[in-house]
mmCIF file of all heavy atoms in Angstrom:
data_model
loop_
_atom_site.group_PDB
_atom_site.id
_atom_site.type_symbol
_atom_site.label_atom_id
_atom_site.label_comp_id
_atom_site.label_asym_id
_atom_site.label_seq_id
_atom_site.Cartn_x
_atom_site.Cartn_y
_atom_site.Cartn_z
ATOM 1 N N MET B 149 3.490 15.230 -42.556
ATOM 2 C CA MET B 149 2.273 14.617 -42.012
ATOM 3 C C MET B 149 1.188 15.695 -41.780
ATOM 4 O O MET B 149 0.019 15.461 -42.058
ATOM 5 C CB MET B 149 2.587 13.914 -40.702
ATOM 6 C CG MET B 149 1.438 13.067 -40.162
ATOM 7 S SD MET B 149 1.852 12.376 -38.550
ATOM 8 C CE MET B 149 1.210 10.712 -38.733
ATOM 9 N N ARG B 150 1.619 16.844 -41.268
ATOM 10 C CA ARG B 150 0.661 17.959 -41.116
ATOM 11 C C ARG B 150 -0.019 18.273 -42.434
ATOM 12 O O ARG B 150 -1.262 18.414 -42.512
ATOM 13 C CB ARG B 150 1.374 19.219 -40.587
ATOM 14 C CG ARG B 150 0.477 20.451 -40.546
ATOM 15 C CD ARG B 150 1.228 21.676 -40.069
ATOM 16 N NE ARG B 150 2.258 22.142 -40.980
ATOM 17 C CZ ARG B 150 2.045 22.915 -42.061
ATOM 18 N NH1 ARG B 150 0.819 23.289 -42.381
ATOM 19 N NH2 ARG B 150 3.050 23.268 -42.837
ATOM 20 N N LEU B 151 0.766 18.367 -43.511
ATOM 21 C CA LEU B 151 0.203 18.705 -44.818
ATOM 22 C C LEU B 151 -0.756 17.630 -45.292
ATOM 23 O O LEU B 151 -1.815 17.920 -45.884
ATOM 24 C CB LEU B 151 1.337 18.912 -45.837
ATOM 25 C CG LEU B 151 2.205 20.144 -45.595
ATOM 26 C CD1 LEU B 151 3.435 20.146 -46.479
ATOM 27 C CD2 LEU B 151 1.397 21.433 -45.792
ATOM 28 N N ALA B 152 -0.413 16.359 -45.003
ATOM 29 C CA ALA B 152 -1.283 15.261 -45.445
ATOM 30 C C ALA B 152 -2.595 15.303 -44.673
ATOM 31 O O ALA B 152 -3.687 15.068 -45.239
ATOM 32 C CB ALA B 152 -0.604 13.909 -45.202
ATOM 33 N N ILE B 153 -2.538 15.635 -43.378
ATOM 34 C CA ILE B 153 -3.771 15.767 -42.588
ATOM 35 C C ILE B 153 -4.597 16.926 -43.119
ATOM 36 O O ILE B 153 -5.799 16.820 -43.295
ATOM 37 C CB ILE B 153 -3.453 15.915 -41.086
ATOM 38 C CG1 ILE B 153 -2.854 14.609 -40.541
ATOM 39 C CG2 ILE B 153 -4.699 16.305 -40.307
ATOM 40 C CD1 ILE B 153 -2.282 14.721 -39.142
ATOM 41 N N GLU B 154 -3.936 18.039 -43.379
ATOM 42 C CA GLU B 154 -4.665 19.205 -43.876
ATOM 43 C C GLU B 154 -5.332 18.902 -45.221
ATOM 44 O O GLU B 154 -6.468 19.314 -45.482
ATOM 45 C CB GLU B 154 -3.722 20.421 -43.996
ATOM 46 C CG GLU B 154 -3.409 21.034 -42.647
ATOM 47 C CD GLU B 154 -2.354 22.144 -42.704
ATOM 48 O OE1 GLU B 154 -1.950 22.533 -43.824
ATOM 49 O OE2 GLU B 154 -1.967 22.631 -41.625
ATOM 50 N N ALA B 155 -4.623 18.139 -46.077
ATOM 51 C CA ALA B 155 -5.158 17.804 -47.390
ATOM 52 C C ALA B 155 -6.406 16.912 -47.259
ATOM 53 O O ALA B 155 -7.280 16.923 -48.117
ATOM 54 C CB ALA B 155 -4.083 17.100 -48.239
ATOM 55 N N ALA B 156 -6.467 16.143 -46.149
ATOM 56 C CA ALA B 156 -7.630 15.266 -45.925
ATOM 57 C C ALA B 156 -8.849 16.055 -45.396
ATOM 58 O O ALA B 156 -9.919 15.487 -45.244
ATOM 59 C CB ALA B 156 -7.248 14.152 -44.938
ATOM 60 N N LYS B 157 -8.628 17.360 -45.100
ATOM 61 C CA LYS B 157 -9.707 18.226 -44.628
ATOM 62 C C LYS B 157 -10.568 17.636 -43.492
ATOM 63 O O LYS B 157 -11.798 17.549 -43.641
ATOM 64 C CB LYS B 157 -10.600 18.635 -45.810
ATOM 65 C CG LYS B 157 -9.892 19.395 -46.915
ATOM 66 C CD LYS B 157 -10.910 19.963 -47.883
ATOM 67 C CE LYS B 157 -10.348 20.754 -49.039
ATOM 68 N NZ LYS B 157 -8.941 21.085 -49.074
ATOM 69 N N PRO B 158 -9.941 17.244 -42.393
ATOM 70 C CA PRO B 158 -10.754 16.640 -41.334
ATOM 71 C C PRO B 158 -11.586 17.669 -40.597
ATOM 72 O O PRO B 158 -11.147 18.811 -40.406
ATOM 73 C CB PRO B 158 -9.701 16.020 -40.405
ATOM 74 C CG PRO B 158 -8.488 16.900 -40.612
ATOM 75 C CD PRO B 158 -8.531 17.359 -42.064
ATOM 76 N N ASP B 159 -12.785 17.263 -40.164
ATOM 77 C CA ASP B 159 -13.569 18.062 -39.235
ATOM 78 C C ASP B 159 -13.074 17.835 -37.805
ATOM 79 O O ASP B 159 -13.302 18.678 -36.931
ATOM 80 C CB ASP B 159 -15.046 17.660 -39.320
ATOM 81 C CG ASP B 159 -15.644 17.985 -40.699
ATOM 82 O OD1 ASP B 159 -15.459 19.131 -41.162
ATOM 83 O OD2 ASP B 159 -16.242 17.084 -41.316
ATOM 84 N N ALA B 160 -12.468 16.677 -37.563
ATOM 85 C CA ALA B 160 -11.941 16.385 -36.233
ATOM 86 C C ALA B 160 -10.794 15.393 -36.338
ATOM 87 O O ALA B 160 -10.776 14.565 -37.257
ATOM 88 C CB ALA B 160 -13.020 15.830 -35.336
ATOM 89 N N LEU B 161 -9.853 15.512 -35.411
ATOM 90 C CA LEU B 161 -8.699 14.598 -35.351
ATOM 91 C C LEU B 161 -8.766 13.827 -34.033
ATOM 92 O O LEU B 161 -8.747 14.430 -32.960
ATOM 93 C CB LEU B 161 -7.407 15.419 -35.434
ATOM 94 C CG LEU B 161 -6.091 14.673 -35.202
ATOM 95 C CD1 LEU B 161 -5.867 13.614 -36.279
ATOM 96 C CD2 LEU B 161 -4.905 15.635 -35.182
ATOM 97 N N VAL B 162 -8.872 12.512 -34.157
ATOM 98 C CA VAL B 162 -8.813 11.640 -32.979
ATOM 99 C C VAL B 162 -7.346 11.336 -32.708
ATOM 100 O O VAL B 162 -6.632 10.852 -33.591
ATOM 101 C CB VAL B 162 -9.591 10.324 -33.217
ATOM 102 C CG1 VAL B 162 -9.429 9.390 -32.002
ATOM 103 C CG2 VAL B 162 -11.060 10.590 -33.505
ATOM 104 N N VAL B 163 -6.866 11.670 -31.509
ATOM 105 C CA VAL B 163 -5.470 11.399 -31.158
ATOM 106 C C VAL B 163 -5.493 10.267 -30.129
ATOM 107 O O VAL B 163 -5.984 10.433 -29.007
ATOM 108 C CB VAL B 163 -4.765 12.616 -30.592
ATOM 109 C CG1 VAL B 163 -3.305 12.282 -30.257
ATOM 110 C CG2 VAL B 163 -4.827 13.793 -31.560
ATOM 111 N N VAL B 164 -4.978 9.098 -30.529
ATOM 112 C CA VAL B 164 -4.938 7.949 -29.614
ATOM 113 C C VAL B 164 -3.575 7.972 -28.930
ATOM 114 O O VAL B 164 -2.556 7.632 -29.535
ATOM 115 C CB VAL B 164 -5.110 6.634 -30.375
ATOM 116 C CG1 VAL B 164 -5.135 5.446 -29.377
ATOM 117 C CG2 VAL B 164 -6.399 6.633 -31.198
ATOM 118 N N GLY B 165 -3.587 8.404 -27.682
ATOM 119 C CA GLY B 165 -2.329 8.549 -26.945
ATOM 120 C C GLY B 165 -2.276 7.619 -25.761
ATOM 121 O O GLY B 165 -3.205 6.855 -25.474
ATOM 122 N N ALA B 166 -1.131 7.701 -25.088
ATOM 123 C CA ALA B 166 -0.888 6.904 -23.898
ATOM 124 C C ALA B 166 -0.396 7.883 -22.869
ATOM 125 O O ALA B 166 0.778 8.191 -22.778
ATOM 126 C CB ALA B 166 0.176 5.847 -24.176
ATOM 127 N N GLU B 167 -1.327 8.424 -22.039
ATOM 128 C CA GLU B 167 -0.885 9.477 -21.154
ATOM 129 C C GLU B 167 -0.145 8.915 -19.949
ATOM 130 O O GLU B 167 -0.168 7.723 -19.676
ATOM 131 C CB GLU B 167 -2.053 10.373 -20.765
ATOM 132 C CG GLU B 167 -3.039 9.723 -19.818
ATOM 133 C CD GLU B 167 -3.588 10.746 -18.844
ATOM 134 O OE1 GLU B 167 -3.902 11.860 -19.256
ATOM 135 O OE2 GLU B 167 -3.681 10.420 -17.659
ATOM 136 N N HIS B 168 0.490 9.833 -19.232
ATOM 137 C CA HIS B 168 1.475 9.444 -18.212
ATOM 138 C C HIS B 168 1.067 10.029 -16.872
ATOM 139 O O HIS B 168 1.721 10.895 -16.344
ATOM 140 C CB HIS B 168 2.858 9.954 -18.645
ATOM 141 C CG HIS B 168 3.136 9.743 -20.120
ATOM 142 N ND1 HIS B 168 2.600 10.524 -21.097
ATOM 143 C CD2 HIS B 168 3.893 8.817 -20.752
ATOM 144 C CE1 HIS B 168 2.995 10.112 -22.303
ATOM 145 N NE2 HIS B 168 3.800 9.066 -22.101
ATOM 146 N N PHE B 169 -0.060 9.568 -16.335
ATOM 147 C CA PHE B 169 -0.578 10.057 -15.067
ATOM 148 C C PHE B 169 -0.804 11.568 -15.096
ATOM 149 O O PHE B 169 -0.331 12.282 -14.239
ATOM 150 C CB PHE B 169 0.345 9.652 -13.907
ATOM 151 C CG PHE B 169 0.603 8.197 -13.823
ATOM 152 C CD1 PHE B 169 1.885 7.675 -14.019
ATOM 153 C CD2 PHE B 169 -0.414 7.321 -13.570
ATOM 154 C CE1 PHE B 169 2.133 6.326 -13.938
ATOM 155 C CE2 PHE B 169 -0.207 5.948 -13.492
ATOM 156 C CZ PHE B 169 1.080 5.448 -13.690
ATOM 157 N N ALA B 170 -1.457 12.047 -16.125
ATOM 158 C CA ALA B 170 -1.838 13.445 -16.167
ATOM 159 C C ALA B 170 -3.247 13.568 -15.585
ATOM 160 O O ALA B 170 -3.497 14.371 -14.705
ATOM 161 C CB ALA B 170 -1.788 13.957 -17.588
ATOM 162 N N ASN B 171 -4.189 12.778 -16.111
ATOM 163 C CA ASN B 171 -5.562 12.815 -15.652
ATOM 164 C C ASN B 171 -5.919 11.516 -14.896
ATOM 165 O O ASN B 171 -6.615 11.539 -13.911
ATOM 166 C CB ASN B 171 -6.538 12.937 -16.829
ATOM 167 C CG ASN B 171 -6.261 14.203 -17.604
ATOM 168 O OD1 ASN B 171 -6.796 15.241 -17.320
ATOM 169 N ND2 ASN B 171 -5.344 14.105 -18.572
ATOM 170 N N PHE B 172 -5.450 10.426 -15.428
ATOM 171 C CA PHE B 172 -5.827 9.146 -14.893
ATOM 172 C C PHE B 172 -4.710 8.637 -13.991
ATOM 173 O O PHE B 172 -3.547 8.623 -14.378
ATOM 174 C CB PHE B 172 -6.089 8.136 -16.027
ATOM 175 C CG PHE B 172 -7.026 8.661 -17.069
ATOM 176 C CD1 PHE B 172 -6.621 8.891 -18.362
ATOM 177 C CD2 PHE B 172 -8.340 9.009 -16.718
ATOM 178 C CE1 PHE B 172 -7.488 9.414 -19.321
ATOM 179 C CE2 PHE B 172 -9.219 9.507 -17.659
ATOM 180 C CZ PHE B 172 -8.801 9.715 -18.951
ATOM 181 N N PHE B 173 -5.091 8.246 -12.773
ATOM 182 C CA PHE B 173 -4.111 7.782 -11.796
ATOM 183 C C PHE B 173 -4.460 6.358 -11.386
ATOM 184 O O PHE B 173 -5.466 5.790 -11.781
ATOM 185 C CB PHE B 173 -4.066 8.755 -10.598
ATOM 186 C CG PHE B 173 -2.982 8.466 -9.621
ATOM 187 C CD1 PHE B 173 -1.648 8.503 -10.028
ATOM 188 C CD2 PHE B 173 -3.278 8.127 -8.301
ATOM 189 C CE1 PHE B 173 -0.649 8.217 -9.110
ATOM 190 C CE2 PHE B 173 -2.286 7.862 -7.395
ATOM 191 C CZ PHE B 173 -0.953 7.891 -7.807
ATOM 192 N N MET B 174 -3.591 5.803 -10.541
ATOM 193 C CA MET B 174 -3.754 4.395 -10.166
ATOM 194 C C MET B 174 -4.955 4.125 -9.291
ATOM 195 O O MET B 174 -5.268 2.983 -8.981
ATOM 196 C CB MET B 174 -2.480 3.940 -9.411
ATOM 197 C CG MET B 174 -1.201 4.106 -10.201
ATOM 198 S SD MET B 174 0.227 4.077 -9.102
ATOM 199 C CE MET B 174 1.500 4.734 -10.159
ATOM 200 N N ASP B 175 -5.642 5.185 -8.838
ATOM 201 C CA ASP B 175 -6.848 4.979 -8.017
ATOM 202 C C ASP B 175 -8.056 4.603 -8.887
ATOM 203 O O ASP B 175 -9.054 4.126 -8.354
ATOM 204 C CB ASP B 175 -7.161 6.245 -7.199
ATOM 205 C CG ASP B 175 -7.409 7.454 -8.066
ATOM 206 O OD1 ASP B 175 -6.981 7.473 -9.242
ATOM 207 O OD2 ASP B 175 -8.003 8.431 -7.584
ATOM 208 N N ASN B 176 -7.938 4.846 -10.234
ATOM 209 C CA ASN B 176 -9.111 4.655 -11.053
ATOM 210 C C ASN B 176 -8.667 4.696 -12.521
ATOM 211 O O ASN B 176 -8.936 5.645 -13.230
ATOM 212 C CB ASN B 176 -10.116 5.784 -10.762
ATOM 213 C CG ASN B 176 -11.469 5.524 -11.358
ATOM 214 O OD1 ASN B 176 -11.709 4.491 -11.981
ATOM 215 N ND2 ASN B 176 -12.366 6.476 -11.208
ATOM 216 N N MET B 177 -7.992 3.626 -12.931
ATOM 217 C CA MET B 177 -7.334 3.676 -14.247
ATOM 218 C C MET B 177 -8.148 2.976 -15.309
ATOM 219 O O MET B 177 -8.332 1.753 -15.249
ATOM 220 C CB MET B 177 -5.937 2.998 -14.120
ATOM 221 C CG MET B 177 -5.171 2.963 -15.403
ATOM 222 S SD MET B 177 -4.811 4.591 -16.113
ATOM 223 C CE MET B 177 -3.454 5.104 -15.063
ATOM 224 N N PRO B 178 -8.661 3.722 -16.271
ATOM 225 C CA PRO B 178 -9.391 3.052 -17.348
ATOM 226 C C PRO B 178 -8.431 2.434 -18.376
ATOM 227 O O PRO B 178 -7.367 2.998 -18.654
ATOM 228 C CB PRO B 178 -10.171 4.204 -17.996
ATOM 229 C CG PRO B 178 -9.344 5.416 -17.731
ATOM 230 C CD PRO B 178 -8.568 5.152 -16.453
ATOM 231 N N ALA B 179 -8.809 1.294 -18.905
ATOM 232 C CA ALA B 179 -8.010 0.715 -20.001
ATOM 233 C C ALA B 179 -8.125 1.588 -21.242
ATOM 234 O O ALA B 179 -7.146 1.853 -21.945
ATOM 235 C CB ALA B 179 -8.482 -0.702 -20.320
ATOM 236 N N PHE B 180 -9.351 2.070 -21.484
ATOM 237 C CA PHE B 180 -9.611 2.961 -22.630
ATOM 238 C C PHE B 180 -10.433 4.146 -22.188
ATOM 239 O O PHE B 180 -11.343 4.003 -21.371
ATOM 240 C CB PHE B 180 -10.403 2.197 -23.705
ATOM 241 C CG PHE B 180 -9.781 0.931 -24.201
ATOM 242 C CD1 PHE B 180 -10.309 -0.297 -23.868
ATOM 243 C CD2 PHE B 180 -8.630 0.964 -24.994
ATOM 244 C CE1 PHE B 180 -9.715 -1.492 -24.317
ATOM 245 C CE2 PHE B 180 -8.014 -0.197 -25.447
ATOM 246 C CZ PHE B 180 -8.561 -1.416 -25.095
ATOM 247 N N ALA B 181 -10.121 5.296 -22.758
ATOM 248 C CA ALA B 181 -10.921 6.507 -22.444
ATOM 249 C C ALA B 181 -11.015 7.365 -23.691
ATOM 250 O O ALA B 181 -10.111 7.375 -24.522
ATOM 251 C CB ALA B 181 -10.269 7.274 -21.290
#
Side-chain angles (χ1 to χ4, degrees):
Chain B
M149 188 185 223
R150 173 181 68 81
L151 292 170
I153 291 170
E154 286 175 4
K157 299 191 180 351
D159 296 309
L161 172 63
V162 176
V163 182
V164 183
E167 71 145 43
H168 318 76
F169 305 116
N171 302 270
F172 308 116
F173 187 60
M174 303 162 194
D175 60 341
N176 191 2
M177 179 61 77
F180 303 109

